[in-house]
Amino acid sequence: MQSLHIVSAYDEELKYLSKRIAAMGGHAERMVEQSVLALVNADPDLARKVVEDDAILDQGQREVDDKAILLIGKRQPMATDLREVIGVIRISADLERVGDLAKNVAKRVASVGDNSMQPASLYRGLEALADLALTQLKEVLDVYASRSVETIGFVRDRDDQIDAMYTSLFRELLTYMMEDPRNITPCTHLLFCAKNIERIGDHATNIAETIYFIVTGEQMPVERPKGDKTDRIVIPAR
Amino acid sequence: MRTYRSYLPDIMADLSDRQKYGARRFMRNLWQARWLLAVAVAALFCVQFFAGMPFMVLPAAIVALLLAAGISGDATGDGEQSRAAAEAGELQSLSAENLAAAVTDPLIVFDDNASIIHANAAAIAAFGDLRAGMSLQLKFRAPEMQVLIDAALAGGGSPSADFIDKLPVERVYRVTASAVGHGSRLHVLLFKDQSEARRIDRMRADFIANASHEMRTPLASIAGFIETLRGPARNDPAAREQFLHIMQNQTGRMARLIDDMLSLSRLEMKPYLKPGARVDVKQVVESVVDSLGPLAKENNLVIERDFADGPMEVPGDRDELYQVFENLLENACKYGQDGDRVVVSIARTDKAPQPGIEVTVRDFGPGIPEEHIPRVTERFYRIDSETAQSRKGTGLGLAIVKHILTRHHGRLSIQSELGKGSAFTVYLPAN
């Protein structure tokens, strides 16, 4: 019965890794949610909490890395198991980045300052962008749980929407800056916040690709059109 | 008056019923006592064989035995007892699945590996895919749920936590984990929906924020006109008429705003649909087109129909879907004035993620600038505030559409080209 024991310990280890990923995912989702809430409500206390929470994700990533490397060394996984372990390492890195981006948004809350200076539509736009990115992240992590990669096509749709929304916000922010130079400081910070949120969506897409690889053993068919057109936005000075 | 004769058939029927019933009961008693009877008959044979009873006594004894057994069963009064036994049996044989299905709150049964064993229909409606074998910790990733599940697996007590699910619609649950029976490996997670209380708070806050912001403009304008009417324009009938007209428009706008805000709040109050109801999209669209005929005529537009054949059913709420198509078609009529027609088409689609119905409302108006397209479903987002005001928009119509579609697991996509018009496409999954 010795061998059974070893196999089940191996299973336990793999399971532990995916459990850690889920916990990290939960923290990352919560951080993104709270950082945007802090930004919209100009809530410095919540922002501070988000900044502190980032340590949990950093710790999580280190632990997943250590455990994964230990597992590779000890069990020499093959095929699906190997993909699983490599995938876990990649996803935890993406989630850690998501945490950093959320932390960066939270850090800017103080610099943006009083949010009644900017029009409410701007904050609604940011919220809508964050909702898209969070939905992306949530759905991707749900696929990690259910392994139903056949539904993963939504990722691309959503990615396009996020890019279009970001482009629109970019333009709006430029307009405000041109209207009044006093808007430049808060709007620049908000621009970075929007960029961060857009990047969170990109990391979610990365995770989706990793999951596709874990489950099918193939790379996700690429060729996604780039909807981010901010590189070409020029608003002429009047 | 009925004579005795006319009662006779009834009495006969009654009698024969009783006889039948009696016979059935007699047989049943015999059957119940069959082993005892067999032994008794065997004993009679033995007595005859060994003791040499008179020949004719044997059959008579057997008949007496049978009669006694058949009638004596009556005396035991088995009714009460057997019903109680049957009920106990029913409870025993009641499947856990049926019991879970009868619970209206989301309920998930999981084992000590945190793998899902069973999720009831309410849970699947609330959280989507929850197939058996899926890891609970991978699905419920929120930190407080992770803590709760760990505590449940560690055993001891019934830990509970507040779980907030923000997307797609915000829901707040009080979640309790408890072990099933003693020493079983199963646990149950029960979600009590607390969203309502929280939503009422949110609604109030939102309403005050929106109302104070959006109502201020028309209110300020009305106040200004009243001041003018009481002062400089006191004796100017022409100006008075004009001002009153503007004031009427502004109050109309405020009324519409309140209507829209209330309907949005109502939608937010009940985050998911009643399961089971199905709606014929074609019929709904047809009645919307009929009801908006006058508005289209007013704007010199013709509404063209392009419907695919056959019934097109989707799960959903009729009134809500009516509102979706009404808002879209109303917008098309209001903002598509430069074109001379509005096209409404319905088609089936097999596009991912699953087959469904697509309804497209296309206008041939000025179109929407590209940078505004992703934003138009936000509350109070206006591309050009003056046009929107003059066309009686509240800035909530598309927000309502989006909200309803989210509940229906549907999607709204918008294509638009400047100078050529816009197409709003609603996708609704067929299952």
Side-chain angles (χ1 to χ4, degrees):
Chain A
M1 290 312 273
Q2 188 67 18
S3 68
L4 184 68
H5 175 71
I6 288 172
V7 170
S8 83
Y10 181 12
D11 274 349
E12 282 300 309
E13 284 168 17
L14 279 174
K15 212 164 164 195
Y16 178 78
L17 281 179
S18 57
K19 203 187 115 184
R20 287 297 304 162
I21 288 292
M24 281 181 73
H27 271 292
E29 286 173 276
R30 184 53 54 86
M31 278 178 69
V32 177
E33 202 179 298
Q34 289 182 337
S35 67
V36 175
L37 199 65
L39 186 66
V40 171
N41 296 338
D43 181 345
D45 292 334
L46 188 58
R48 207 168 306 122
K49 179 184 174 298
V50 174
V51 174
E52 282 163 12
D53 279 355
D54 189 44
I56 301 174
L57 280 186
D58 291 350
Q59 164 68 25
Q61 195 212 352
R62 270 197 297 277
E63 194 194 341
V64 166
D65 272 7
D66 287 352
K67 286 268 186 331
I69 287 170
L70 203 64
L71 192 146
I72 294 175
K74 222 162 57 174
R75 313 282 183 198
Q76 311 207 335
M78 307 280 280
T80 319
D81 296 339
L82 182 58
R83 289 205 301 274
E84 183 80 47
V85 178
I86 299 293
V88 158
I89 294 175
R90 292 209 322 226
I91 294 174
S92 82
D94 275 318
L95 288 175
E96 195 270 335
R97 285 294 301 146
V98 169
D100 286 349
L101 291 166
K103 177 169 132 187
N104 189 271
V105 171
K107 274 181 171 171
R108 290 178 192 276
V109 168
S111 315
V112 174
D114 182 9
N115 65 355
S116 61
M117 293 295 289
Q118 284 80 40
S121 77
L122 196 55
Y123 286 96
R124 280 197 207 101
L126 271 173
E127 265 183 306
L129 181 69
D131 271 0
L132 282 174
L134 268 175
T135 312
Q136 175 96 318
L137 193 59
K138 178 186 156 86
E139 287 180 346
V140 164
L141 291 172
D142 279 351
V143 173
Y144 182 72
S146 68
R147 303 284 154 131
S148 49
V149 286
E150 64 279 0
T151 62
I152 217 158
F154 66 80
V155 169
R156 260 172 220 151
D157 276 10
R158 193 88 64 197
D159 214 36
D160 292 348
Q161 286 179 37
I162 292 176
D163 286 341
M165 182 68 94
Y166 171 59
T167 310
S168 168
L169 276 171
F170 188 98
R171 186 180 278 271
E172 194 177 344
L173 282 162
L174 286 195
T175 323
Y176 293 136
M177 289 195 226
M178 297 189 52
E179 275 170 3
D180 187 346
R182 280 173 298 179
N183 281 340
I184 292 180
T185 306
C187 285
T188 308
H189 284 297
L190 289 176
L191 195 56
F192 274 106
C193 290
K195 180 72 198 165
N196 285 342
I197 297 169
E198 188 261 347
R199 292 291 304 156
I200 289 170
D202 287 350
H203 282 292
T205 313
N206 275 355
I207 296 175
E209 282 162 6
T210 306
I211 296 170
Y212 190 88
F213 174 70
I214 293 176
V215 177
T216 65
E218 285 161 27
Q219 297 294 339
M220 196 158 145
V222 274
E223 199 53 60
R224 53 193 176 99
K226 202 69 190 129
D228 175 2
K229 294 177 187 153
T230 48
D231 50 353
R232 269 172 280 147
I233 289 184
V234 178
I235 296 185
R238 278 164 289 183
Chain B
M1 278 294 284
R2 288 182 81 180
T3 59
Y4 172 69
R5 196 169 286 277
S6 70
Y7 280 114
L8 204 58
D10 292 357
I11 291 168
M12 295 296 284
D14 187 33
L15 270 179
S16 78
D17 264 0
R18 264 190 219 183
Q19 276 165 358
K20 245 186 270 169
Y21 177 67
R24 220 180 301 133
R25 192 175 188 113
F26 187 76
M27 291 313 288
R28 198 184 65 209
N29 284 336
L30 273 189
W31 182 246
Q32 278 174 352
R34 61 193 182 279
W35 299 118
L36 208 62
L37 279 174
V39 171
V41 170
L44 276 176
F45 271 109
C46 287
V47 169
Q48 196 209 14
F49 191 76
F50 291 111
M53 267 195 310
F55 181 69
M56 284 305 291
V57 174
L58 180 65
I62 289 178
V63 169
L65 208 62
L66 285 178
L67 272 174
I71 294 160
S72 69
D74 279 357
T76 57
D78 53 349
E80 275 301 300
Q81 248 172 343
S82 68
R83 196 177 327 125
E87 267 171 17
E90 248 171 58
L91 198 61
Q92 284 294 319
S93 69
L94 168 68
S95 91
E97 209 167 310
N98 290 341
L99 187 61
V103 177
T104 49
D105 288 321
L107 179 149
I108 299 170
V109 183
F110 62 101
D111 66 9
D112 55 5
N113 282 321
S115 302
I116 296 173
I117 302 285
H118 177 70
N120 70 356
I124 288 169
F127 306 113
D129 191 3
L130 289 171
R131 64 189 75 175
M134 199 160 144
S135 163
L136 204 59
Q137 281 149 319
L138 263 54
K139 177 70 190 176
F140 295 98
R141 296 175 296 271
E144 60 272 7
M145 288 299 285
Q146 298 276 330
V147 172
L148 175 72
I149 296 166
D150 282 343
L153 294 180
S158 309
S160 59
D162 288 318
F163 168 50
I164 302 171
D165 198 15
K166 191 167 173 290
L167 294 164
V169 263
E170 186 171 58
R171 286 160 304 178
V172 183
Y173 294 101
R174 180 88 193 150
V175 192
T176 313
S178 32
V180 179
H182 291 290
S184 93
R185 297 166 48 243
L186 299 183
H187 304 262
V188 163
L189 216 51
L190 186 64
F191 296 76
K192 278 255 178 255
D193 198 335
Q194 314 266 307
S195 314
E196 201 149 319
R198 193 180 159 104
R199 232 175 262 130
I200 289 172
D201 279 356
R202 265 284 282 279
M203 201 175 99
R204 198 180 294 134
D206 273 8
F207 192 84
I208 290 169
N210 290 338
S212 59
H213 189 259
E214 292 296 317
M215 292 285 184
R216 198 180 286 153
T217 325
L219 205 57
S221 124
I222 293 173
F225 282 119
I226 291 177
E227 212 169 283
T228 322
L229 279 175
R230 300 183 71 180
R234 188 195 296 266
N235 298 315
D236 183 347
R240 186 165 60 218
E241 195 47 43
Q242 192 196 343
F243 290 170
L244 284 175
H245 181 68
I246 296 174
M247 284 163 71
Q248 193 177 10
N249 281 348
Q250 296 291 3
T251 48
R253 178 176 145 63
M254 287 166 76
R256 280 195 305 277
L257 203 56
I258 290 175
D259 283 348
D260 276 1
M261 284 200 280
L262 285 179
S263 84
L264 199 56
S265 303
R266 261 198 302 276
L267 287 172
E268 284 173 348
M269 286 296 290
K270 35 172 194 168
Y272 28 80
L273 290 164
K274 275 186 305 233
R278 291 184 76 81
V279 180
D280 186 354
V281 176
K282 208 190 229 173
Q283 206 184 7
V284 177
V285 174
E286 194 76 58
S287 55
V288 171
V289 170
D290 286 344
S291 77
L292 287 180
L295 179 70
K297 205 172 276 174
E298 210 175 284
N299 291 328
N300 298 319
L301 290 166
V302 180
I303 301 177
E304 290 175 9
R305 296 175 173 86
D306 176 16
F307 297 171
D309 292 329
M312 308 235 181
E313 284 203 344
V314 296
D317 182 295
R318 189 185 182 279
D319 292 346
E320 289 181 11
L321 289 179
Y322 186 92
Q323 201 175 3
V324 165
F325 299 124
E326 189 184 33
N327 286 358
L328 289 180
L329 195 57
E330 210 177 302
N331 278 353
C333 291
K334 280 182 195 161
Y335 300 99
Q337 284 181 1
D338 303 352
D340 47 3
R341 63 200 175 108
V342 170
V343 181
V344 183
S345 51
I346 309 179
R348 283 191 192 80
T349 168
D350 293 329
K351 257 193 328 200
Q354 49 166 317
I357 310 283
E358 275 189 348
V359 181
T360 306
V361 179
R362 185 185 300 275
D363 69 61
F364 298 89
I368 305 169
E370 191 187 5
E371 68 267 23
H372 294 298
I373 293 178
R375 312 282 305 277
V376 291
T377 54
E378 288 166 27
R379 289 175 185 200
F380 302 117
Y381 189 83
R382 291 209 187 88
I383 296 166
D384 172 0
S385 55
E386 273 167 34
T387 350
Q389 297 257 350
S390 70
R391 303 205 177 158
K392 304 187 175 175
T394 56
L396 285 173
L398 287 177
I400 293 173
V401 166
K402 193 183 166 201
H403 208 287
I404 295 176
L405 289 180
T406 306
R407 295 147 62 83
H408 283 78
H409 306 290
R411 252 200 329 259
L412 176 70
S413 50
I414 307 168
Q415 277 92 40
S416 185
E417 208 175 324
L418 277 180
K420 293 194 174 167
S422 323
F424 288 77
T425 304
V426 170
Y427 160 83
L428 290 164
N431 291 306

